[in-house]
C-alpha cells in the first residue's frame, strides 16, 4: 500500500493517509501500538492526510498520489510565493528569482546577510541534499503551501481590508496547528 519514493514517506505519512482511506476521521500515531487509538488533536497533522487521500482516490493509488505531490505542491509553493513577492516588490524578475530560491534553497532565506554561508549552501557538496528539501511530503510540501498562503492572505487583509481575506487568512493560519 505504500510508495517507495522515500523511507520517511513510507513509514510515516503513507500509513496516516491509509488511515483516512480506511475511514478514520482523525489520524493517530501509526508508529506506537499504545497510541494507535488516540487521535491527534492537531488539524495540521490530519488535514495533509486528507489532501493526500483525495489525490490517492482521484488517481487510483497512494504511490501515484505521492509522486504527483512531488510535482504539484512545490509548483504551488513557487506560484504562491511569486504572488506574494510580486505584491511586495512589483518586480516580476525579482519575484520569480525569490520564489524559486525559496523552494530550491529554503535555508538561504535565513542566511541573507551572511554571503559566505549562502555560497556554501549553494556550492558546497554537503548542501546538495537540501536541494531536494521540497520533495518531502507532508512537511514541507503541504505545510509550506498553507504557511505561505496564510502570509499572503494576511498581507492582503492588512493592505485591502476585506472580510473575506481576513476569514480565509484565519483559516489558513488555523491549519498550521
Amino acid at each position: 500500500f505504500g510508495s517507495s519514493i522515500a523511507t520517511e514517506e513510507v513509514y510515516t505519512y503513507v500509513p496516516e493517509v491509509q488511515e483516512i482511506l480506511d475511514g478514520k476521521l482523525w489520524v493517530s500515531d501509526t508508529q506506537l501500538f499504545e497510541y494507535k487509538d488516540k487521535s491527534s488533536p492537531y488539524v495540521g497533522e490530519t488535514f495533509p492526510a486528507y489532501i493526500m487521500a483525495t489525490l490517492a482516490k482521484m488517481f487510483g493509488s497512494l504511490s501515484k498520489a505521492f509522486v504527483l505531490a512531488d510535482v504539484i505542491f512545490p509548483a504551488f509553493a513557487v506560484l504562491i510565493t511569486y504572488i506574494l513577492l510580486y505584491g511586495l516588490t512589483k518586480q516580476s524578475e525579482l519575484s520569480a528569482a525569490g520564489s524559486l530560491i525559496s523552494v530550491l534553497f529554503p535555508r538561504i532565506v535565513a542566511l541573507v546577510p551572511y554571503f559566505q554561508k549562502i555560497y556554501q549552501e549553494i556550492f558546497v557538496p554537503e548542501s546538495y541534499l537540501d536541494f531536494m528539501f521540497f520533495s518531502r511530503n507532508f512537511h514541507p510540501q503541504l505545510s509550506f503551501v498553507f504557511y505561505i498562503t496564510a502570509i499572503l492572505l494576511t498581507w492582503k487583509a492588512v493592505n485591502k481590508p476585506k472580510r473575506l481575506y481576513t476569514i480565509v487568512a484565519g483559516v489558513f493560519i488555523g491549519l498550521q496547528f
Side-chain angles (χ1 to χ4, degrees), residues 56-158:
K57 285 181 183 178
M58 286 172 49
F59 294 103
S61 77
L62 280 170
S63 295
K64 289 178 185 176
F66 275 84
V67 169
L68 286 169
D70 287 340
V71 175
I72 294 169
F73 297 118
F76 279 157
V78 169
L79 179 64
I80 295 167
T81 306
Y82 174 83
I83 292 168
L84 175 65
L85 292 175
Y86 186 78
L88 292 170
T89 66
K90 302 293 188 230
Q91 296 181 2
S92 60
E93 295 87 9
L94 181 64
S95 302
S99 62
L100 286 173
I101 286 172
S102 69
V103 171
L104 296 177
F105 303 103
R107 290 182 12 181
I108 287 179
V109 175
L111 301 173
V112 168
Y114 307 107
F115 295 109
Q116 182 180 7
K117 290 287 189 183
I118 292 173
Y119 176 82
Q120 288 176 344
E121 283 293 316
I122 296 173
F123 297 110
V124 174
E126 290 84 28
S127 299
Y128 290 155
L129 294 177
D130 288 341
F131 187 72
M132 300 298 291
F133 186 71
F134 269 83
S135 69
R136 292 177 53 232
N137 194 347
F138 303 152
H139 310 289
Q141 276 184 359
L142 285 163
S143 59
F144 184 77
V145 170
F146 300 147
Y147 176 71
I148 200 70
T149 302
I151 292 173
L152 173 66
L153 292 171
T154 302
W155 176 74
K156 284 194 173 275
V158 168

Side-chain angles (χ1 to χ4, degrees), residues 16 19-20 24-30 35-50 138-139 175-177:
E16 291 179 4
E19 282 192 336
I20 299 299
K24 287 188 81 175
L25 186 60
W26 295 94
V27 296
S28 60
D29 191 333
T30 58
Y35 295 105
K36 73 177 183 111
D37 293 327
K38 296 189 185 214
S39 300
S40 171
Y42 301 110
V43 175
E45 291 181 16
T46 301
F47 191 63
Y50 274 103
F138 303 152
H139 310 289
L175 288 174
Q176 302 300 306
F177 301 101

